[in-house]
Amino acid sequence: MSLSASQNRAGLALIAPASILAIIFLIAPLSSILVLAFTDYQLGDRSLRFIGFENFQALIDDPVFWKSLSNTLIYSAVVVPGSMLLGLVSALLIDAGTSLRSFYRTAFFMPVMASLLAMAIVWEFMLHPSFGIVNTTAKALGFASHNWLKDGDIALYVLAVIGIWQSFGFNMVLFMAGLSAIPRDLYDAAELDGTPHAWERFRLITWPLLAPVAVFVAITSAIRSFQVFDTVHALTQGGPNKATEVLLYTIYAEGFEFFRSSHAAAITIVFILLVVSVSLLRFVSLKKNGEGA
Amino acid sequence: MASVNIRSVVKTFGETHVLKRIDLDIRDGEFISLVGPSGCGKSTLLRIISGLEQQSGGSILLDGATVDRIRPRDRDLAMVFQSYALYPHLTVAENIAVPLVMRRLNTTERSLLGTLLPSAKAKRKEIAGEVGRVCDALSISMLKDRKPASLSGGQRQRVALARAMVRKPSAFLMDEPLSNLDAKMRVQARGEIAALHRQLGSTFIYVTHDQAEAMTMSDRIAVMMGGEILQVDTPDQIYQMPLDLRVAEFIGSPKINVLQAALTEGDVLSFTFADTANNRVQAAFRPEAARLAGIANAPLAGVIHHIENLGADLFVQVMTAGGNLVVVRCDPGGIRPAIGDKVGIVMDEARLHVFGTDNRRIEGSYRLEAPL
Ligand SMILES: Nc1ncnc2c1ncn2[C@@H]1O[C@H](COP(=O)(O)OP(=O)(O)OP(=O)(O)O)[C@@H](O)[C@H]1O
Ligand SMILES: [Mg+2]
């Protein structure tokens, strides 16, 4: 089929707004980052020089970068399953209950909407080594108290717990939407077909029908957990001794504290590759599901 | 095999009384239809029998024993849902196997690792054999590996039937299983379900709002309206001896003709309203219980308003002088009336039904008032 010239013009006119916005907000910044990553530019410089892969070579030799990358992955490995499981369980409980549904939904969704920076301060109080509620409760129950944010062995996991608290409400809402799309008839049929208990109904119906939602939730959770920054910045500044150094925080420190813009750009490229590869996973899983149906 | 007894079952949702004291005895092996207009509580009653819904009062007895405290899965009933409720992620064969897998395999054998157990393998093999036989019986063997989404409505309906059959339950509950099919498929499926009933000999409780389905398939019909059962009888009795005007109006197509009339001299029906005040009744007759005649000798007269030609029958709509539309069946082989003709209508006195103003049947034999 060939298009007439006027159809062509109309088509171009229609995609123009979207393309212009994409160029301004997406393609231009991305390509400047890409260019920057291969130069020796520092913030404030009047000229720059292309230095090939030197920035990336420097990253490979930089233990802080590796620490930052592994911290980010560990953080995600805790937050993604944690927030998914908590989101799923709370969605199932709310869905099964009849009263107070909207109350719980709103309450659990609150952390998602609240400013994380403000919430971080609350967490800082709660985790305070001497008068924080966490330690006073631990002591009252006979557990050892910790300096939660200053202990290099646990600080990252404390941040992960805060990350779970912050994001499970979002996952819960997604799971609830998925649950409401499952026809009630199926559960009635399953009861007459003899499913003995709720777990078996979950295995027979809920989980398989929720699988596409779960994949989506896993991938968005992963991408959001890669982007952890606010809590790190507010509570630990990457410390103690780089124990909570994460990719976005390293980018921030390199770019805006040490002004090594090109170095920051190289880390950004790594970060973007990470996000893109996870997004590709979603694409692959969608394709597989599409063929399976 | 099971008889089902419904004893004074009441159901309320908040303030609304959906079922008002339902009593119904269903015999072992019987095909009974619950028929009635939308919202009359048919599905609710069926769900109460299955146990999916809890009644507000009364009891359900299966084979003489009350099952009010027994879970749906343990009542040994199978249900075919209007939506078919097939598990969308399972193949046809897996769908049909679910009732057997859930009942015969224990939790360990059903688990992911348990599938490796020799006992699980043996049971699954046996189940596959039974699924195969049911599929053969309903001629859906070639669909075994397909997912429900890729099936037509008729095929899904068979799969749902197969899933209900595979366990050999003592009674089948069906909630409008044919309402998602087109008219042609429905007629075919009607015959198949009736044949299935004869072959299995189990009790079938069949919910429908389509009176034709109820008439063609059932041993007995229970006509429900507004949360009550108005009449339970064989299709013939329901058609020929409706005990309530609403039953008469609901069963039969085209609808029965209903005219306001007065009873004079005890058993003489008059359509003219000389003495309107007392002895008011509602007279009803079916289109085939009347014929067109000359105006001279007819108790009713009017002008032909419209003619529906169905090939085998000619349904002539006559607008009477009183402003009622009366439908009369004519033989298409005879003289064809024309729209606008002035005609008289003569009814068969033996097939006249008379109902009081409370809609209840008034038994008796009636004569028509001699024409003026
Ligand atoms: N869960 C419920 N809560 C409140 N009202 C209900 C509920 N379920 C059913 N009803 C009401 O009960 C009445 C009977 O419903 P039911 O589904 O039994 O009707 P039905 O005869 O099966 O109609 P249809 O032919 O449309 O399926 C309806 O008025 C309906 O609104
Ligand atoms: Mg219904």
Side-chain angles (χ1 to χ4, degrees), chain B residues 42-44 82 175-176 207:
Chain B
K42 310 177 294 284
S43 299
T44 306
Q82 182 171 4
D175 193 351
E176 313 209 16
V207 161

Side-chain angles (χ1 to χ4, degrees), chain B residues 191-306:
Chain B
E192 285 172 2
I193 290 182
L196 192 68
H197 170 250
R198 281 192 296 275
Q199 181 197 328
L200 297 175
S202 336
T203 313
F204 275 46
I205 306 178
Y206 187 98
V207 161
T208 176
H209 64 262
D210 180 349
Q211 56 93 24
E213 267 175 33
M215 289 292 287
T216 50
M217 298 163 74
S218 331
D219 296 324
R220 284 195 305 159
I221 299 175
V223 183
M224 287 184 70
M225 232 161 267
E228 288 174 297
I229 292 186
L230 298 180
Q231 186 172 358
V232 188
D233 243 321
T234 61
D236 281 340
Q237 279 292 318
I238 291 262
Y239 191 79
Q240 287 157 16
M241 277 291 164
L243 296 181
D244 191 292
L245 179 61
R246 290 170 290 170
V247 174
E249 285 187 310
F250 192 77
I251 301 290
S253 171
K255 227 170 94 174
I256 197 165
N257 298 301
V258 183
L259 293 171
Q260 300 298 320
L263 269 184
T264 54
E265 299 163 37
D267 64 347
V268 178
L269 269 180
S270 159
F271 295 119
T272 52
F273 294 105
D275 46 347
T276 37
N278 40 17
N279 292 328
R280 290 277 299 276
V281 294
Q282 309 182 76
F285 57 93
R286 300 214 177 262
E288 68 271 18
R291 62 186 166 78
L292 298 181
I295 300 179
N297 303 315
L300 263 180
V303 178
I304 295 182
H305 176 72
H306 179 64

Side-chain angles (χ1 to χ4, degrees), chain B residues 5-12 19-25 45 48 55-61 68 227 229:
Chain B
N5 304 93
I6 301 167
R7 294 277 155 78
S8 317
V9 163
V10 175
K11 178 70 186 176
T12 53
L19 297 177
K20 307 167 187 159
R21 262 189 86 89
I22 300 279
D23 280 289
L24 182 61
D25 293 314
L45 183 56
I48 288 175
Q55 66 267 35
S56 316
S59 342
I60 303 292
L61 283 72
D68 299 333
I229 292 186

